[in-house]
Amino acid sequence: MRTFVRQTLNDNHVRGTTVVVKNGVPQQISYGYAWYGNNMGNGDPEITYPACSLQKVITAAIITQLINEKVGTSNHFSQYTTINRWYPDLKNSSLVTVGDLLANTSGNTVGNTEVDRDQDYTEQEAIDWIINDSPSGQIGSYFYNNANYILLAGIISKLTGKSYEQNFEDRIVNKLGLKGTYLYQDIPTGMTDPISYNYDYQTGKNYQNAVYVPSTLASQIPGAGNMFTTPMDYYKIQVALTDGTILDKDDFNYMTHVKSRVNNYAAGTYLDNNDNIKSAYGNLRGTHFGNWYQLTTDNKNGLIMFLNQTDDNEKDVKAVGYDILQHIKPNTFVAN
């Protein structure tokens, strides 16, 4: 398996680190450099990767925990609760539900959430930006937008009286004992995030066009793309979403099947093959990162792939991953 995965990454001129899961056993397989100039290899224990949109399922999970925790209290809410309770000044908030945010059907069409605004935002400043700049499209129609999950991060803070950051630490990182998972601002001394690169097809050179994730960009998207982790930590999170550690199977089903859902997406997760396959893709505009996971929903087989050298094409990244998935368990996964 190790030889096949590394050869597949090499043949497609991509670099990164993966976790291959076969029959319930996860195995980390890495290839190339995470930071070429410093000779730091992918998979180095000092590297933590941007999760990009793969963070969204965690934000959704914390919301689901709070739905359960607030039953019978004055703060009781559900997927059907309109968000004017927390955002009275947000356009159309009396019509948009928590479920709409989870399913990207809120009509929220804030543009350029991943264009670096060159300032370090606090969580509240990022949320205020979304509220102030929030144009609204048709509620009930699917439109993928980071703003939905930034607003969910704000709801988490308002419900708990603690920052999203603190909830993330308490409910995810500390709960699971994760050693390579942080929000950007909490990456400690001794750990570093990787550089992203392209392969130059004209010169045949790897590690070209080096770009990293600036703190300013990460600070714009709390709850939606400011998490850094490793593929193995991320696998532990995926398992914990259904084994009762973070959520149980009923909770996972609840958040991924909200009534607002109009396609196979909700709670940061795409479900396929009669809900037997789960997946998500993520990148950050202006960088060359490409993250994709696809797992069976029982977490027994699949792939988590964090690439830091790509050709900036989602379809190509998924094609590389699908080749590996076919090697893990043929005719099980979805080519998408």
Side-chain angles (χ1 to χ4, degrees):
M1 182 65 71
R2 181 173 297 275
T3 299
F4 178 85
V5 171
R6 288 169 60 87
Q7 189 64 53
T8 300
L9 298 180
N10 179 69
D11 290 348
N12 288 278
H13 308 296
V14 298
R15 302 291 185 267
T17 190
T18 72
V19 164
V20 169
V21 188
K22 185 174 179 65
N23 298 326
V25 179
Q27 176 186 10
Q28 178 176 293
I29 304 172
S30 305
Y31 188 64
Y33 290 103
W35 189 351
Y36 180 70
N38 276 17
N39 293 319
M40 293 188 73
N42 278 309
D44 187 299
E46 295 182 354
I47 296 290
T48 181
Y49 295 81
C52 308
S53 287
L54 273 62
Q55 178 181 358
K56 292 183 171 78
V57 70
I58 294 167
T59 302
I62 297 174
I63 285 286
T64 305
Q65 287 180 333
L66 290 170
I67 288 173
N68 292 334
E69 292 171 16
K70 300 302 180 182
V71 170
T73 75
S74 59
N75 284 322
H76 173 64
F77 74 108
S78 73
Q79 62 174 297
Y80 304 108
T81 302
T82 54
I83 64 172
N84 58 318
R85 178 189 296 188
W86 305 286
Y87 299 119
D89 298 326
L90 178 66
K91 184 178 179 180
N92 289 342
S93 61
S94 63
L95 304 175
V96 173
T97 67
V98 171
D100 287 321
L101 296 182
L102 290 167
N104 278 324
T105 55
S106 69
N108 204 312
T109 57
V110 175
N112 298 324
T113 57
E114 293 178 16
V115 174
D116 187 5
R117 295 165 69 88
D118 294 320
Q119 72 176 81
D120 282 305
Y121 284 77
T122 65
E123 285 183 16
Q124 190 57 54
E125 286 169 344
I127 293 162
D128 289 343
W129 161 48
I130 295 300
I131 292 171
N132 293 333
D133 288 8
S134 184
S136 183
Q138 183 177 350
I139 298 170
S141 294
Y142 177 81
F143 186 86
Y144 191 93
N145 196 280
N146 286 326
N148 294 305
Y149 280 78
I150 297 171
L151 292 174
L152 286 170
I155 291 172
I156 289 167
S157 180
K158 291 173 184 291
L159 282 166
T160 63
K162 300 178 181 179
S163 63
Y164 175 87
E165 177 182 20
Q166 190 62 56
N167 278 280
F168 177 83
E169 285 289 320
D170 293 343
R171 296 172 179 271
I172 307 299
V173 176
N174 295 340
K175 183 73 172 178
L176 298 180
L178 303 177
K179 302 302 183 184
T181 300
Y182 315 89
L183 298 188
Y184 185 94
Q185 65 269 24
D186 299 322
I187 298 174
T189 302
M191 296 288 293
T192 187
D193 53 311
I195 309 297
S196 67
Y197 306 94
N198 289 140
Y199 173 79
D200 189 323
Y201 282 87
Q202 290 186 332
T203 65
K205 292 182 178 180
N206 295 301
Y207 308 111
Q208 303 301 297
N209 305 322
V211 181
Y212 66 96
V213 179
S215 64
T216 47
L217 174 57
S219 75
Q220 294 175 196
I221 44 178
N226 66 328
M227 166 184 159
F228 285 67
T229 188
T230 67
M232 192 62 78
D233 271 9
Y234 196 75
Y235 177 66
K236 293 175 183 176
I237 291 168
Q238 284 292 328
V239 172
L241 291 173
T242 53
D243 74 356
T245 310
I246 296 175
L247 301 177
D248 61 25
K249 290 180 180 179
D250 288 341
D251 293 328
F252 183 79
N253 184 72
Y254 176 89
M255 73 176 189
T256 55
H257 292 81
V258 290
K259 296 301 181 181
S260 300
R261 188 177 81 155
V262 296
N263 54 13
N264 63 338
Y265 178 91
T269 306
Y270 293 90
L271 293 174
D272 290 290
N273 284 9
N274 297 315
D275 292 353
N276 289 310
I277 298 294
K278 58 181 177 177
S279 68
Y281 177 82
N283 63 357
L284 287 170
R285 186 184 302 179
T287 73
H288 314 303
F289 294 104
N291 299 346
W292 189 50
Y293 86 87
Q294 192 173 152
L295 294 164
T296 54
T297 48
D298 63 6
N299 299 302
K300 298 296 185 184
N301 292 280
L303 173 71
I304 298 169
M305 183 170 67
F306 290 180
L307 300 181
N308 70 310
Q309 179 176 293
T310 71
D311 64 359
D312 303 315
N313 186 297
E314 177 179 345
K315 182 178 178 181
D316 291 347
V317 168
K318 290 180 176 180
V320 174
Y322 187 68
D323 284 348
I324 298 170
L325 289 167
Q326 284 288 80
H327 192 72
I328 295 168
K329 193 170 184 181
N331 306 316
T332 300
F333 298 96
V334 178
N336 63 6

